[in-house]
Amino acid sequence: MVRSVPVRLAVAAILGMVFPGACAGGAPGADAFPTTIRSEPGHCQLADGAPGDCPPDRCAPGDGVAPDAAPMPWPEPYGGMVPDPAGRGLSTASCASSSCHGGPRGGNHASHTFAATTWVATDPHAGAYETLFEPRSVRMARLLGIGPPHTERQCLVCHSVQEAAPDPLPPAVLADGAGCASCHGDATGWLEAHSQADWKRLSAAEKRAVGFRDLSGPLGRARECARCHVGDADHDMHHDHVAAGHPRLLFELAQLQRRWPRHWDPRGRAETEPDFQARSWAVGQAVALEAAATLLAARASRAAAAVKTGAPTRWPEYTEFDCQACHRDLTRAEALTDAAPLPRRLPPGTPGWQPWFVTGSGLLDAGLATPSSADGAELAGQVSALRANLAREWLAIDAARIERIAAEARGVVRGARRTAETLAAAPDIRVVADGGRLDRLAATDPRLWRSWDAAVQMTLALEADRRGGPATLGVQHPGDRSHPLDRLRESLLYPLGFDAPVGFDPERFHQRRADVP
């Protein structure tokens, strides 16, 4: 296995783990990032090592770079959040003045007056652009054969607010990372209006008409997050990126909301509802499937068009499939005692489509979230048909076959969208992840439900059930990890230094799951 600290971090983030020895940044999991000592250009930069891996005889702090390490590009000096006419509605500077959202933090101030202050200090999105200067990002760009990552639009669309502007933005705006406009929208049409008393009297549709994105509930939040954390036609993180070192994209809304810092006051908002955690989990799973199917449809449509013209095509796109179908230990005999009928069961040797999103939505189909509807049953059938079609056609470089996959993916998009909107509009959402339901679900397709992806999704469903209710103040971290649910979650982390769930034992996982009260 190839050593891959970033992939472990992605897994740690979705599982909500916090490693000991946190760095000064304080963000969940930040201490596990490879150390980069760069107090000024030319100082020690650990090219690919974890903390402490720098050989003292080759690269000591302050003595320059390792002899065989390529110099890292250095960003232009950042003089603070200075407004720039080219990106006034996109820059965090438009929001972060001390008289708006950038005031001092304090209990005697309304939280919106220091929202930007909190965000800059605690939210990982604030460092998204800076990530592009880290050694692993530079190495990825070199392997991909592209320019410096901080200049590449394919990187900047998620690591900054560049996606909202057709022309390159100035460095002072890009340096804000995935800033306010990344989630709330380009403020050009509403920057002044939203500071007026009349703003609160506008409907969501009226605000949306001027470019403001509604993030008041789980549905709007999930759809905004999914653009980068799942992907779409304009945010396509494909297999070349993963092979070069980009972490796999794993998205589950409820867990991320629990673990990531909040820079707004939850009082009077969706967070105070008694079903907030359950609703976030249920709606988030449906939206994640919608986004995954949307991305598949876009990829398949592009591939079919390329095949028709004889142009080079990226098909099959391997990030659409189960990573462990290929990246696996081939020295162990595998016992597949699967008696389930096709099309729910895939033939041995066939990579399954998106096990993370299929199992997440499958938990919805199994009735873990109530109320359920006919939409859920119909969606399950659509997903099953798409998986079966991909199992037959995944290697076919034929325009008609690829177009059928795109059409089926669009059907899943419509079904997942209806399910998400039905759940978002329901007066009350409950999640009941009891052992009997999970056992029956695992028996329907043992190959799928014995996967690491399925194990993590089951664990997150247990979290939504056992630790549901309204949001709590602050950021939740597992305490002493003495609770069976905390130990179950921790057991699913990738082993340190590996980019795969090496040693994952499904039998052991289900035994531990049975111990969760």
Side-chain angles (χ1 to χ4, degrees):
M1 295 289 180
V2 178
R3 178 176 182 140
S4 178
V5 174
V7 173
R8 177 179 167 85
L9 287 175
V11 176
I14 199 67
L15 292 173
M17 300 305 298
V18 179
F19 294 93
C23 73
D31 50 295
F33 276 101
T35 300
T36 302
I37 305 172
R38 55 176 199 184
S39 56
E40 60 183 76
H43 276 207
C44 177
Q45 296 150 350
L46 304 187
D48 287 307
D53 285 354
C54 187
D57 59 332
R58 295 184 59 202
C59 179
D63 291 338
V65 298
D68 59 351
M72 278 186 60
W74 196 254
E76 297 181 27
Y78 179 43
M81 293 182 291
V82 180
D84 189 297
R88 181 169 178 265
L90 301 174
S91 172
T92 299
S94 299
C95 312
S97 70
S98 60
S99 60
C100 294
H101 298 296
R105 299 172 68 179
N108 59 335
H109 302 291
S111 61
H112 72 271
T113 65
F114 55 87
T117 307
T118 302
W119 178 83
V120 168
T122 64
D123 197 302
H125 290 89
Y129 179 70
E130 185 178 351
T131 299
L132 300 179
F133 294 92
E134 293 184 358
R136 70 173 183 268
S137 300
V138 176
R139 180 175 181 271
M140 283 174 56
R142 186 169 65 248
L143 292 172
L144 290 167
I146 63 176
H150 67 285
T151 66
E152 288 287 331
R153 187 175 181 87
Q154 62 179 291
C155 305
L156 292 173
V157 291
C158 282
H159 285 263
S160 74
V161 295
Q162 180 62 66
E163 71 161 325
D167 300 318
L169 290 169
V173 176
L174 296 176
D176 293 333
C180 307
S182 294
C183 299
H184 296 283
D186 183 346
T188 302
W190 51 268
L191 184 62
E192 285 80 15
H194 93 291
S195 64
Q196 306 300 315
D198 288 344
W199 177 258
K200 293 185 178 180
R201 290 191 282 270
L202 296 180
S203 67
E206 290 172 321
K207 293 178 180 178
R208 186 165 53 249
V210 293
F212 182 83
R213 297 173 187 163
D214 181 13
L215 304 179
S216 59
L219 182 62
R221 295 177 190 179
R223 285 180 170 163
E224 286 303 317
C225 295
R227 290 186 302 115
C228 282
H229 289 273
V230 178
D232 59 25
D234 299 318
H235 306 77
D236 189 351
M237 198 281 295
H238 49 70
H239 191 263
D240 286 359
H241 297 113
V242 177
H246 195 288
R248 183 183 172 201
L249 298 181
L250 302 174
F251 173 69
E252 197 277 297
L253 178 67
Q255 189 72 193
L256 294 181
Q257 287 189 135
R258 276 198 296 270
R259 304 294 174 183
W260 283 20
R262 186 185 301 118
H263 56 274
W264 61 93
D265 188 344
R267 290 174 294 186
R269 301 178 184 267
E271 281 86 348
T272 61
E273 297 297 327
D275 67 346
F276 174 71
Q277 308 281 13
R279 188 179 297 272
S280 296
W281 177 83
V283 172
Q285 292 289 9
V287 169
L289 178 64
E290 175 190 351
T294 299
L295 180 57
L296 172 60
R299 286 169 168 171
S301 296
R302 282 198 301 258
V307 170
K308 288 178 179 179
T309 61
T313 180
R314 181 185 301 280
W315 190 266
E317 169 48 51
Y318 293 112
T319 53
E320 291 289 346
F321 300 101
D322 179 8
C323 298
Q324 304 312 310
C326 297
H327 298 277
R328 57 186 299 164
D329 183 357
L330 297 179
T331 63
R332 262 189 327 176
E334 185 180 55
L336 289 176
T337 56
D338 188 349
L342 289 172
R344 291 196 68 85
R345 179 172 59 88
L346 300 180
T350 304
W353 178 64
Q354 294 286 17
W356 177 266
F357 301 107
V358 169
T359 54
S361 63
L363 292 164
L364 280 180
D365 300 336
L368 266 67
T370 56
S372 58
S373 67
D375 290 340
E378 180 182 356
L379 179 59
Q382 292 170 324
V383 171
S384 180
L386 176 58
R387 292 184 70 229
N389 193 6
L390 277 168
R392 292 188 298 267
E393 310 283 7
W394 73 283
L395 276 175
I397 309 298
D398 176 270
R401 294 179 178 181
I402 299 174
E403 284 176 336
R404 283 199 297 272
I405 291 172
E408 289 191 343
R410 287 191 288 270
V412 172
V413 171
R414 291 189 293 271
R417 183 179 298 130
R418 285 195 302 270
T419 298
E421 291 171 354
T422 298
L423 290 167
D428 181 60
I429 296 289
R430 290 182 297 112
V431 175
V432 182
D434 62 82
R437 293 190 189 199
L438 296 179
D439 289 339
R440 289 190 295 273
L441 184 60
T444 60
D445 188 344
R447 180 181 169 196
L448 174 64
W449 290 99
R450 286 166 58 88
S451 68
W452 176 88
D453 295 68
V456 177
Q457 289 284 24
M458 284 186 172
T459 302
L460 297 177
L462 288 167
E463 288 264 11
D465 178 10
R466 306 301 196 272
R467 294 173 176 171
T472 58
L473 294 177
V475 180
Q476 295 184 24
H477 299 308
D480 58 5
R481 298 176 185 153
S482 61
H483 192 279
L485 187 51
D486 293 325
R487 293 198 299 270
L488 182 68
R489 186 196 315 108
E490 187 174 8
S491 73
L492 295 170
L493 280 172
Y494 288 177
L496 186 63
F498 290 90
D499 61 0
V502 178
F504 170 68
D505 183 343
E507 298 297 338
R508 180 61 179 147
F509 166 75
H510 287 295
Q511 291 172 2
R512 285 177 172 147
R513 176 175 62 77
D515 293 336
V516 176

